[in-house]
Amino acid sequence: MGFLRYILGPKLYMEYGMGMKMYEPNGLEKFGDQILSTLNLVWNIGFYSSPIIATLLYRRGYFVMDSIATLAKISTSVGLIVVISMIMRGLGRSQSASYTKMIKAMEMLKSPKTEEEGKRALRLFDFEFKSWTVDFDIKNLQSDDKKKCQTMAKNSTRSFRFATLPCEIAAYLAIQTFGIRMIFPGSVKLLQSYMRPMLISGRAKLIEEENGKRHKIRTIDSNDIDTIFVDNREKSPNGKTLVICSEGNAGFYEIGIVGTPLALNYSILGWNHPGFEGSTGTPFPDQDKNAIEAVVQFAIYELGFSVEDIILYGWSIGGYASLWAASCFPDVKGVILDATFDDILYLAQPRMPESLGGVVRIAIRDYCNLNNAELAQNYHGPISLIRRTEDEVIAEDNQLDTNRGNFLALSILKYRYPFIFQTSQLNRCKQILSKPLEIRNYTASDDDLCLTRLITYASDQGKKYPMSIGEDYTDEVRHQMAEFLLRKHFRDFKSTHCTQLPTEYFNIPFDIPVEQGFVFT
């Protein structure tokens, strides 16, 4: 039984405190691992090309009774290779001092008396996340917030329409196979295998240099989410604020956006989407919603942060998870959206053949409806958007006026201030956004006047959106207010889609102050 722990135990990547050096398996373990890795690679390639392989096998007559014996011999041979390779790997691991220490730490988890000591000992190792113990299970909570989010998540229902049944079937098959992986390429195992050395190195830096702690969080749908927490509460005043970072469709917390708030000494909580690196599941919207909900609940109930001290920071497709969390926890300190779009449908359709437009629409609307413009209406707190002026992903041919961040910003502002952002003001703002934002001819007194109008209204009527402010304004005043609000909610960053955001662009989102004696800066 003890030797089986070496055979079936997790793959060890690194032992911390060894100067950022990767774990080097001995010859026996390495040889067994190489064979198993090769077989795993072949299996993954076979999975993604299974329709082609199945067609070839069918044409060659392998799907008949006479071919069963041949297929059985092949399967048996492969099985024997797997067993022998695993035994070789186990023998090699049993001779490794580092691996033996990790196994002993795992054995300590079996006894309640040594469980905590075992967990501390295991934090000195980086190994396959599936063998990590669960640190937080949202099913153990009975909070009102949890129930509310679950109710909201269950409201999305799908129904097939007979008239469009062929398109419905095609859309379902497409999104379940290659579609969701095109939208979230970070969930493709081949890509993760290629990036694993970079991910391990990035994770090691967060743990060794920033004193980060890795946690496994279990969601309501039993997915396990891979997270990292860096606690800066004792290091800096900014550390009292927790920034929860939601990565893009090929982003991982190990090498992602956590670096920006971390450089400003905020406490950070990074997480990987379902199906990314250590996280289990598939990044369909419902699973992603459950994941971010569990992450926020973990921050509140396990890490001890109040909702008011949490900033939700989303990059690209991660903006959807951030907005969902904000709609569940409306009292968060703010939402920062970087290089985020309004509706994924308008990004998906131009990248697919026009003849498949109907299938694409059904696939997106029924199974992956990442509509940020719609979701943003459920959140009434502070929000800011950052646009990449050279964005090649959410803009057509790098044309600034086609950047989907423009449409998201105007959609949010029109919803929040409908009497200010009327047709004339929206057209004016579209023209402004068709070029890089510049310092326009406005004065501090003009800004003070605009801010005073907002404060006066909010003090009398409250800050609930949509606001009726501007109903009796002239067009000139509406123009002034519209430009002011656009500048307060929207900012340009001269860059492409995937570069790290500089620290000077990471600011607490604008909010209308209503406290007596407040001075706006």
Side-chain angles (χ1 to χ4, degrees):
M1 188 69 179
F3 185 62
L4 280 176
R5 297 286 287 179
Y6 290 97
I7 294 178
L8 304 176
K11 187 172 183 177
L12 178 59
Y13 297 127
M14 180 177 288
E15 183 178 1
Y16 295 122
M18 303 295 289
M20 299 281 288
K21 290 180 66 176
M22 298 283 286
Y23 167 71
E24 287 292 337
N26 56 35
L28 205 57
E29 180 183 355
K30 184 181 291 186
F31 186 67
D33 254 341
Q34 283 178 342
I35 296 174
L36 292 171
S37 297
T38 301
L39 291 174
N40 185 57
L41 177 63
V42 172
W43 171 261
N44 279 317
I45 293 173
F47 174 80
Y48 291 114
S49 58
S50 55
I52 300 173
I53 294 174
T55 302
L56 290 173
L57 291 176
Y58 176 76
R59 288 180 177 177
R60 291 173 181 261
Y62 279 95
F63 292 158
V64 294
M65 292 297 294
D66 294 341
S67 300
I68 291 179
T70 302
L71 292 174
K73 288 178 182 178
I74 295 173
S75 301
T76 303
S77 299
V78 173
L80 283 172
I81 293 172
V82 170
V83 171
I84 293 170
S85 299
M86 292 181 74
I87 292 173
M88 291 173 60
R89 186 177 67 177
L91 288 170
R93 287 174 172 178
S94 65
Q95 298 168 18
S96 167
S98 294
Y99 204 92
T100 300
K101 283 198 299 185
M102 186 183 73
I103 290 296
K104 287 180 179 178
M106 287 184 167
E107 293 290 340
M108 294 170 72
L109 297 177
K110 296 180 179 180
S111 171
K113 294 181 180 179
T114 58
E115 184 178 6
E116 288 303 317
E117 186 182 349
K119 286 182 178 180
R120 287 194 298 270
L122 277 178
R123 290 196 179 277
L124 299 176
F125 299 93
D126 190 324
F127 52 91
E128 286 179 302
F129 198 63
K130 63 183 179 182
S131 298
W132 200 274
T133 56
V134 176
D135 298 294
F136 178 80
D137 191 340
I138 196 172
K139 295 175 187 174
N140 296 331
L141 294 182
Q142 297 296 326
S143 70
D144 292 336
D145 283 338
K146 170 193 164 192
K147 293 176 183 176
K148 180 181 68 174
C149 281
Q150 287 177 6
T151 302
M152 294 174 70
K154 291 176 182 177
N155 284 337
S156 57
T157 57
R158 308 179 184 96
S159 59
F160 285 97
R161 297 170 287 277
F162 183 77
T164 58
L165 189 59
C167 286
E168 297 274 358
I169 295 172
Y172 175 81
L173 293 175
I175 199 71
Q176 294 289 338
T177 54
F178 64 87
I180 193 64
R181 291 166 180 84
M182 288 180 65
I183 296 172
F184 286 91
S187 64
V188 177
K189 299 304 178 185
L190 287 174
L191 176 63
Q192 292 179 29
S193 297
Y194 171 75
M195 295 185 65
R196 184 146 295 126
M198 291 179 283
L199 298 179
I200 295 170
S201 176
R203 189 161 59 237
K205 287 182 179 178
L206 289 170
I207 292 173
E208 289 206 328
E209 297 178 7
E210 303 292 345
N211 199 29
K213 290 186 177 180
R214 200 178 184 193
H215 297 276
K216 177 184 279 190
I217 298 174
R218 184 154 291 169
T219 67
I220 196 69
D221 51 357
S222 298
N223 280 334
D224 292 328
I225 303 303
D226 186 0
T227 70
I228 194 81
F229 171 57
V230 177
D231 191 353
N232 282 331
R233 281 176 284 194
E234 301 299 325
K235 183 177 179 180
S236 164
N238 279 357
K240 302 294 190 296
T241 298
L242 177 69
V243 181
I244 298 180
C245 303
S246 300
E247 300 289 343
N249 65 353
F252 303 83
Y253 73 68
E254 290 90 343
I255 52 176
I257 62 176
V258 299
T260 300
L262 199 54
L264 294 169
N265 291 323
Y266 286 100
S267 294
I268 62 102
L269 179 56
W271 63 286
N272 285 329
H273 295 283
F276 283 51
E277 184 54 359
S279 298
T280 63
T282 309
F284 283 105
D286 286 349
Q287 294 186 41
D288 219 36
K289 290 174 182 178
N290 290 330
I292 185 63
E293 179 201 348
V295 168
V296 177
Q297 297 282 23
F298 170 73
I300 296 169
Y301 289 94
E302 193 72 19
L303 301 181
F305 286 90
S306 64
V307 176
E308 294 80 6
D309 291 328
I310 293 175
I311 291 177
L312 299 167
Y313 175 29
W315 171 59
S316 191
I317 211 167
Y320 185 81
S322 296
L323 285 171
W324 170 260
S327 66
C328 293
F329 303 90
D331 295 327
V332 292
K333 195 168 189 174
V335 174
I336 300 174
L337 303 178
D338 179 15
T340 301
F341 52 85
D342 60 331
D343 187 345
I344 198 172
L345 179 65
Y346 303 126
L347 295 177
Q349 284 185 324
R351 289 162 172 79
M352 297 296 289
E354 191 174 344
S355 58
L356 297 178
V359 175
V360 173
R361 173 175 284 275
I362 292 172
I364 294 296
R365 288 291 181 246
D366 285 0
Y367 303 103
C368 200
N369 191 26
L370 305 181
N371 192 331
N372 291 318
E374 183 178 83
L375 187 56
Q377 295 183 9
N378 297 329
Y379 172 62
H380 293 180
I383 188 169
S384 68
L385 295 91
I386 300 164
R387 178 180 68 171
R388 309 296 184 98
T389 58
E390 299 173 3
D391 201 311
E392 74 283 14
V393 174
I394 65 170
E396 296 179 20
D397 301 321
N398 286 46
Q399 297 297 313
L400 203 54
D401 60 336
T402 66
N403 190 298
R404 299 311 307 186
N406 302 347
F407 300 91
L408 176 59
L410 295 181
S411 172
I412 292 172
L413 291 171
K414 178 176 172 55
Y415 170 75
R416 293 190 169 197
Y417 308 97
F419 291 105
I420 292 178
F421 286 87
Q422 298 187 353
T423 303
S424 176
Q425 287 70 42
L426 288 171
N427 290 335
R428 186 183 179 96
C429 287
K430 286 178 184 177
Q431 290 180 350
I432 294 172
L433 293 174
S434 66
K435 301 176 182 178
L437 296 182
E438 301 172 353
I439 299 176
R440 303 176 65 83
N441 295 324
Y442 63 88
T443 64
S445 60
D446 290 337
D447 274 9
D448 289 342
L449 180 58
C450 291
L451 184 60
T452 300
R453 292 186 185 118
L454 289 172
I455 294 174
T456 301
Y457 178 90
S459 299
D460 292 341
Q461 306 295 328
K463 290 194 293 185
K464 186 177 181 181
Y465 299 108
M467 286 185 175
S468 297
I469 184 173
E471 191 171 5
D472 55 349
Y473 288 174
T474 64
D475 257 3
E476 184 178 348
V477 175
R478 288 195 184 105
H479 286 325
Q480 186 185 43
M481 290 293 294
E483 288 191 33
F484 170 80
L485 288 167
L486 181 63
R487 283 188 284 107
K488 290 301 179 186
H489 290 83
F490 196 86
R491 193 172 181 187
D492 267 348
F493 170 37
K494 190 178 187 321
S495 172
T496 55
H497 188 76
C498 295
T499 54
Q500 186 83 21
L501 186 71
T503 54
E504 60 266 27
Y505 287 85
F506 191 91
N507 299 300
I508 304 297
F510 167 75
D511 194 14
I512 303 172
V514 294
E515 291 85 2
Q516 197 69 25
F518 180 89
V519 178
F520 179 77
T521 57

